Amino acid sequence: MLDADFFRRWMAAAAASVDREAERLTALDSAIGDADHGSNMQRGFTAVRAALEKEATDTPGAVLVLAGRQLISTVGGAAGPLYGTLLRRTGKALGDAAEVGEEQLAEALRAGVDGVMALGGAAPGDKTMIDALVPAVDALADGFAAARAAAEEGAVATTPLQARKGRASYLGERSIGHQDPGATSSALLVAALEEAAE
Ligand code: ADP
Ligand code: MG
Ligand code: MG
């Protein structure tokens, strides 16, 4: 079973990973966006880390709702509200259980990803974070390692796609041939789940 501590470790691992990969995320965003995805994610997850250190969270749902709220309020740019919605919706779907199973987490994450699609209007294949998140949720039944591999594959598979949502879509065909920054950061978020479980 996964308790609040597991979810705090997940957020801490995600923050550390975003710190390590910020330059790469910004480089990807400089090719098809406005070169701020790394700094956006860093600002957001720094706030998540600080909030989780300051405020007590005693359930998995409370951890994710607090984290989501930080992302929404601190990150200007598309990714903040989208990731914020992902974590908040997932947290709400977990309710106030003190511990949740992996199946329950998969179901809640599915609700979170549905929330991102409803907010941003992106579908699979539009070259967004959705292209990493949907395969990850689909693979979660086979465990965290399978979800990580699916998210990484999904992120890499955005390269030949033409962007249909977000800033990269303004480039039209010129968005082809570059990996999507948001799909790349989503793969980091999913990989951090496996780190939290170790
Ligand atoms: P901005 O584009 O406002 O500068 P970021 O650079 O932080 O924001 O985030 C860009 C990422 O957000 C993209 O790579 C993409 O994955 C994701 N994104 C943008 N718009 C959408 C959308 N409508 N639905 C899902 N994801 C989106
Ligand atoms: Mg950007
Ligand atoms: Mg921006």
Side-chain angles (χ1 to χ4, degrees), residues 29 34 36-37 40 77-79 82 120 122 128-129 165-167 180-183:
D29 198 31
D34 56 354
D36 64 358
H37 190 57
N40 285 345
L82 293 166
T128 70
M129 57 176 70
K165 287 284 172 216
R167 206 173 272 282
D180 180 62

